[in-house]
């Protein structure tokens, strides 16, 4: 019963031995739903017969009307008869393009996404229709989108990978209603809707990347049947790609370029590649295929392999390398007909399209010569030559390498004068055209009329006898070939002459030039440690502990200037017994005090001998607790855990298990009276200033290490994807044309971005409409989307002409920035400044823990640079929730540091500025605007009419993509290496 998944895999391209993988899966069932998968109708009927007997025996009713059948075979009839045990029924199978539901998920055999895509789009549209005329706040909409709608879409699409255009269509459907209900214009940039600058609505593309990464990770680290199925999937995909390594190890294909059909694994890998994510292992599942040089995938792009029939022509033929298609000397491409001798390719009929494409790729002019370009010429391919020589008989054809002339020749056996010698007659290729290379001419042989090969003279008294070129050669240098007679003492070889000669040359040099390589080896784990001075120090410590059984160690770590460009991190250990030894070094990447403490423990255990009892004293409670939690778990269970720095914890426990160490970690109080702990602490601080110790990925990588830009992610990868995408959205927003001010690095350094971004994501459960309208007003200011006259002329050019100026002075262009410079309302601006300064004094006095000198506080507030309007950073940035580093220093100076209190104070400050601007400037301006519009005959109906402007949603197309990628990559890269939030950089 059930079905089988199988695949034949060869680990050597030159070998006939193959490894067969086969798994039998009985059925898939859940409660009262059962799915049967079979290869044929007869097998299906046999299974249904057994199932029907079981149902009757247990009095189980079967609803035959709910039967669904799907097939990828072409049928002669639309309706087929299926024989159950008790009856025969007519069933209309679905085609491979049609979808069927299994446990709430819709699938089809062609992996078409349209059906589920339309379902998901309908889910969003139905919700939009429901709330279209409801009174609802922005935060209520955000909650429903993020916690109800998006999870439903995510569940339905878990077996599909959508393209960027499809996810963008779903996102735009969400954004349209959100912008409308949040009172935002459609021209509001999409990036600010999804970023932490404002609402942080979940992006479906990000959710898809997170889901598929989790799914693939679970498959890589699975056990039992799921593990076997995944390995077969990888090998099947590897064969289709013609890759000599597992797709997990070498994937470099984006989703838009993917040519592989009906393979979910390929689409998942392409999606992760687009997000610069990979899953690597320590080499256990690389599935590397040996036996050749220059993989085909290195000379042809992925698209070329599929569009030119290379994958279809070579799939299942065990051909992965260019060397398998080239002559034995690695200089010329073989003739198409000669491929049958080395591969399973059927060369009958006309030359295949894939071979012609490879020929044009490797050769300058295939009609004149078979010699490949210099870049693709390879060395001798000794694997391609059959070194076995059967009993040679008279008139057999051979090729051999002639020592005296230093090149290979072809000849015909005359006799065997000695046991290890044969006498041959030299033959040469009959060339019809001297203008083109012999490699593209027919392999016709004729007798040599005499040359330097001749070593024996045939005695004949007749003067008209033709001279024969005869030589005695060694049997061990011979390669047997076949030739057939055609006419007039001419023969035609069954392979190209150049290939026959190259085999003899290859055999000769392959026999004499294969020497063993001497590789310098370093024992144990230390070969993965760099640079060499650290490695030698650790080896010296390990050698001194070789005979010891009980070891006592103190460890410590140190981090300085975290989340800055001056970040330094070090670790150290001190062996207190049985001998006194110490070690310290600098470390890097994903910095934190926890990592520094953990690295010290790992390095100390590397020096311990096998079966030793090791007691480690650490002042890190985190290390002690996590060690106790993981100590009794298996390696597989640790791989599936969600602990931070999992890569390092796996390395630690592998060392313990492999060397059978008995380890106990004890908590010691930091900066206590213990001399060894003080020494370790001092060494760790000194180590932070030393050179960085590097551990190779081969030691750190485990089965299923998630990497970003080929760097192992030591923390939660799902949260890292979220942070990466958030950085992308914020960069998109900052790179828009009307945000040119943010392209000044001096301004970016004046803003505390980490605090500013977090300020947008607090109080998410306040659903008052007053807060809703105020937030909408703030977003319009951030995006420069307030309906000022300058913006109205862009949106409604048919209603507002160039004569519309500032409503206060009627002189200059009305923009948000000009409001603060307009001469008519300078008294209002100064009033706002005065009130804000007084409010700062009041709120700091209220929440500070210290006794405050009011006069001194007022002086410090007046000294803030943000009061000067027109400076790079002024107080108007507070309305955008962008807090200056100078203001943060002032609050910290007065001990307003507790997180909840700090954000409460900042919320009140930013809210006060925004409210004052709205009440004292914006609302009076609106009154003047309405009066002016009435004078010009512009009604509310006119303003709501469809705009003739070309303004649309603002998205990625407005961004300089090269600068965009460089910046957000740089921010995340700095956060990866130096610690902290990416916004710090």
């Amino acid at each position: 019963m059930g079905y089988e998944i199988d695949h034949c895999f060869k680990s050597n391209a030159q070998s006939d031995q193959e490894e067969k993988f086969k798994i039998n899966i009985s059925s898939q069932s859940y409660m009262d739903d059962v799915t049967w998968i079979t290869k044929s109708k007869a097998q299906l009927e046999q299974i249904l017969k057994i199932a029907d007997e079981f149902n009757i025996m247990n009095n189980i009713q079967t609803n035959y009307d709910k039967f669904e059948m799907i097939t990828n075979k072409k049928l002669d009839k639309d309706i087929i008869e299926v024989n159950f045990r008790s009856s025969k029924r007519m069933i209309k199978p679905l085609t491979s393009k049609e979808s069927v539901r299994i446990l709430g998920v819709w699938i089809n055999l062609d992996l078409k996404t349209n059906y589920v895509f339309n379902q998901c789009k309908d889910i969003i549209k139905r919700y939009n229709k429901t709330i279209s005329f409801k009174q609802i706040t922005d935060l209520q909409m955000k909650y429903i989108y993020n916690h109800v709608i998006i999870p439903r879409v995510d569940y339905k699409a878990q077996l599909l990978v959508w393209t960027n255009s499809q996810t963008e269509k779903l996102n735009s459907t969400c954004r349209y209603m959100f912008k409308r209900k949040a009172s935002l214009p459609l021209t509001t940039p999409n990036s600010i809707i999804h970023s932490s600058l404002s609402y942080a609505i979940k992006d479906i593309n990000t959710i898809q990347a997170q889901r598929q990464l989790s799914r693939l990770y679970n498959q890589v680290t699975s056990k039992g049947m799921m593990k076997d199925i995944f390995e077969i999937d990888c090998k099947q995909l590897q064969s289709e790609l013609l890759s000599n390594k597992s797709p997990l190890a070498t994937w470099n294909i984006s989703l838009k370029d993917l040519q592989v059909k009906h393979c979910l694994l390929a689409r998942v890998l392409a999606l992760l590649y687009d997000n610069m994510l990979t899953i690597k292992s320590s080499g256990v599942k690389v599935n590397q295929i040996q036996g050749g040089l220059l993989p085909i995938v290195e000379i042809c792009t992925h698209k070329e392999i599929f569009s030119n029939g290379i994958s279809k022509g070579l799939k299942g033929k065990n051909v992965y390398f260019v060397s398998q298609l080239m002559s034995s000397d690695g200089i010329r491409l073989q003739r198409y007909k000669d491929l049958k001798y080395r591969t399973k390719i059927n060369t009958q009929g006309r030359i295949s399209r894939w071979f012609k494409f490879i020929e044009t790729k490797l050769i300058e002019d295939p009609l004149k010569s078979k010699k490949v370009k210099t870049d693709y010429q390879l060395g001798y391919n000794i694997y391609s030559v059959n070194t076995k020589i059967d009993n040679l008989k008279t008139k057999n054809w051979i090729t051999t390498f002639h020592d005296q002339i230093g090149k290979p020749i072809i000849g015909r056996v005359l006799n065997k004068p000695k046991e290890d010698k044969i006498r041959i007659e030299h033959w040469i290729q009959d060339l019809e055209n001297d203008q083109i290379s012999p490699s593209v001419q027919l392999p016709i042989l004729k007798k040599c009329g005499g040359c330097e090969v001749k070593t024996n003279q045939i005695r004949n008294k007749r003067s008209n006898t033709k001279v024969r070129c005869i030589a005695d050669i060694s049997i061990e240098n011979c390669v047997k070939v076949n030739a057939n007679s055609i006419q007039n003492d001419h023969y035609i070889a069954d392979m190209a002459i150049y290939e026959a000669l190259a085999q003899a040359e290859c055999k000769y040099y392959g026999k004499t030039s294969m020497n063993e390589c001497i590789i310098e080896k370093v024992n144990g784990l230390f070969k993965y440690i760099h640079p060499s001075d650290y490695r030698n120090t650790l080896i010296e410590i390990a050698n001194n502990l070789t005979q010891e059984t009980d070891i006592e160690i103190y460890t410590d770590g140190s981090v300085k200037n975290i989340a800055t460009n001056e970040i330094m991190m070090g670790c150290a250990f001190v062996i207190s017994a049985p001998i006194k030894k110490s070690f310290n070094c600098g470390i890097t990447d994903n910095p934190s005090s926890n990592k520094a403490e953990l690295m010290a423990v790992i390095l100390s255990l590397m020096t311990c001998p096998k079966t030793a009892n090791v007691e480690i004293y650490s002042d890190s409670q985190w290390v002690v607790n996590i060690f106790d939690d993981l100590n009794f778990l298996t390696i597989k269970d640790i791989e599936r855990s969600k602990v931070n720095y999992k890569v390092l914890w796996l390395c630690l426990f592998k060392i313990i298990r492999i060397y059978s160490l008995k380890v106990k970690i004890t908590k010691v109080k930091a900066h206590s009276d213990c001399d060894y702990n003080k020494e370790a602490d001092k060494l760790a601080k000194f180590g932070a200033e030393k050179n960085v110790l590097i551990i190779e990925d081969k030691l750190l990588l485990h089965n299923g290490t998630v990497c970003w830009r080929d760097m192992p992610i030591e923390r939660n990868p799902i949260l890292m994807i979220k942070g990466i995408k958030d950085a992308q959205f914020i960069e998109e927003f900052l790179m828009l044309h009307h945000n040119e001010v943010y392209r000044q690095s001096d301004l970016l350094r004046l803003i505390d971005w980490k605090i500013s971004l977090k300020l947008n994501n607090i109080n998410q459960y306040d659903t008052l409409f007053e807060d809703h309208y105020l937030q909408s007003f703030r977003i319009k200011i951030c995006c420069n989307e307030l309906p000022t006259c300058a913006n109205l002329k862009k949106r409604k050019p048919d209603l507002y002409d160039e004569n519309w100026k500032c409503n206060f002075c009627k002189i200059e262009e009305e923009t948000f920035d000009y409001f603060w410079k307009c001469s008519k309302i300078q008294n209002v601006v100064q009033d706002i400044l005065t009130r804000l300064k007084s409010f700062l004094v009041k709120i700091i006095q209220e929440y500070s823990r210290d006794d405050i000198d009011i006069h001194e506080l007022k002086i410090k507030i007046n000294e803030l640079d943000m009061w000067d309007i027109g400076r790079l950073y002024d107080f108007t940035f507070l309305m955008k929730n962008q807090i200056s580093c100078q203001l943060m220093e002032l609050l910290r100076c007065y001990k307003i540091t507790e997180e909840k209190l700090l954000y409460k104070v900042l919320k009140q400050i930013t809210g006060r500025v925004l409210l004052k601007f709205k009440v004292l400037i914006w609302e009076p301006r609106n009154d003047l605007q309405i009066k002016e519009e009435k004078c010009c005959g512009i009604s509310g109906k006119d303003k709501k009419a469809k705009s003739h402007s070309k303004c649309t949603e603002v998205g990625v197309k407005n961004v300089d993509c090269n600068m965009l990628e460089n910046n957000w990559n740089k921010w995340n890269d700095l956060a990866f290496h130096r610690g902290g939030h990416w916004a710090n950089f």
Side-chain angles (χ1 to χ4, degrees), residues 115-116 152 181 232 389 400 653 662 664 839 885 938:
Y115 188 83
V116 177
R152 286 185 65 190
K181 299 300 290 185
I232 290 179
I389 299 295
T400 184
F653 280 102
K662 295 180 180 179
K664 179 183 178 183
F839 181 74
C885 297
I938 300 175

Side-chain angles (χ1 to χ4, degrees), residues 657-684:
R657 308 283 166 84
I658 291 172
Y659 288 99
S660 302
L661 301 175
K662 295 180 180 179
V663 180
K664 179 183 178 183
I665 301 181
T666 305
K667 173 71 169 68
V668 61
K669 186 177 180 181
H671 310 293
S672 61
D673 294 333
C674 178
D675 293 336
Y676 290 119
N677 184 56
K678 289 182 179 178
E679 183 179 355
D681 179 67
K682 186 177 180 180
L683 286 173

Side-chain angles (χ1 to χ4, degrees), residues 479-525:
V479 176
K480 195 174 180 180
V481 295
N482 297 316
N484 300 309
S485 176
I486 45 177
Q487 60 180 357
N488 300 329
D489 206 18
H490 282 65
Y491 287 77
I492 185 167
D494 61 355
M495 69 170 64
I497 300 298
Y498 65 83
E499 169 60 12
L501 296 173
Q503 287 190 9
E505 185 177 7
C506 184
K507 181 178 180 181
Y508 177 81
Y509 284 113
K511 176 187 67 177
T512 59
S513 63
M514 294 179 66
N515 298 319
E516 293 183 359
C517 296
I518 300 173
I519 302 174
E520 182 182 356
K521 295 184 179 179
V522 179
N523 292 330
L525 302 171

